[in-house]
Amino acid sequence: MAANRIKVAKDKAELVKSLVTSKDTTGPFQTYVEVMVFAAALGAKHKKRVPIEGIAKDISPLRQDYFSNSFALLINLLAITESKDIKILSEEDFADEQRIHIFEEYANGGLEIIQNELRGAVDYSERLLLMLSSERFNNEGEEEEFNLSKFLL
């Protein structure tokens, strides 16, 4: 199971690096793992799965044991939701590869969304907060409209 590693798309490597706090950047995340988990959750929310065209050479594929239990849970939830097959949770190598593949594609889709949102931004943390805040208020508005239409019927 530990043999399979989570890869970052070549065309998103610079973005991923810029989202992580380092001596050169003030990114909103502490680790590459956090970036990938956030991106995968965002990709899943927007139902955006994007195949990886090339693998980043300057970011080593991430070992699965770097992912905490809660992050591993997200990987499993995405896999079972996408495949609709409980067998994808087995310990078999093929199932592990499938789970990783699904996660990588959702992360790549989420990174694409982030890339578009951050275009021209100076402060990535602020822009991500605005993006999340906007999502939250959009969802609240939808619920309100839905509830009002219930009363009209």
Side-chain angles (χ1 to χ4, degrees), residues 31 70 81 106:
T31 66
S70 55
T81 302
Y106 273 122

Side-chain angles (χ1 to χ4, degrees), residues 19-142:
L19 290 169
V20 175
T21 301
S22 71
K23 62 179 173 52
D24 302 323
T25 63
T26 56
F29 299 98
Q30 298 295 312
T31 66
Y32 293 140
V33 170
E34 290 174 358
V35 172
M36 295 298 284
V37 168
F38 178 81
L42 187 64
K45 180 183 185 329
H46 291 278
K47 296 175 176 42
K48 186 169 180 104
R49 254 182 96 175
V50 177
I52 293 178
E53 298 296 322
I55 299 165
K57 300 215 183 314
D58 49 346
I59 298 177
S60 294
L62 307 169
R63 292 178 20 189
Q64 284 188 58
D65 54 344
Y66 290 170
F67 288 72
S68 69
N69 283 341
S70 55
F71 293 164
L73 179 64
L74 175 67
I75 293 170
N76 290 340
L77 285 172
L78 287 175
I80 200 159
T81 302
E82 189 69 21
S83 71
K84 296 179 182 25
D85 183 3
I86 195 83
K87 291 178 187 158
I88 200 161
L89 297 179
S90 77
E91 294 296 317
E92 302 292 325
D93 282 343
F94 78 91
D96 194 37
E97 287 171 23
Q98 283 182 299
R99 288 193 302 269
I100 288 171
H101 181 74
I102 291 167
F103 176 82
E104 287 171 341
E105 288 189 347
Y106 273 122
N108 199 32
L111 287 169
E112 218 169 77
I113 293 167
I114 293 168
Q115 200 167 42
N116 290 332
E117 289 290 329
L118 296 182
R119 192 165 283 132
V122 176
D123 185 342
Y124 286 1
S125 297
E126 184 180 329
R127 184 67 66 93
L128 284 175
L129 282 172
L130 286 170
M131 188 177 106
L132 291 172
S133 182
S134 162
E135 284 285 329
R136 191 174 121 221
F137 291 121
N138 283 346
N139 289 344
E140 286 176 5
E142 287 171 14

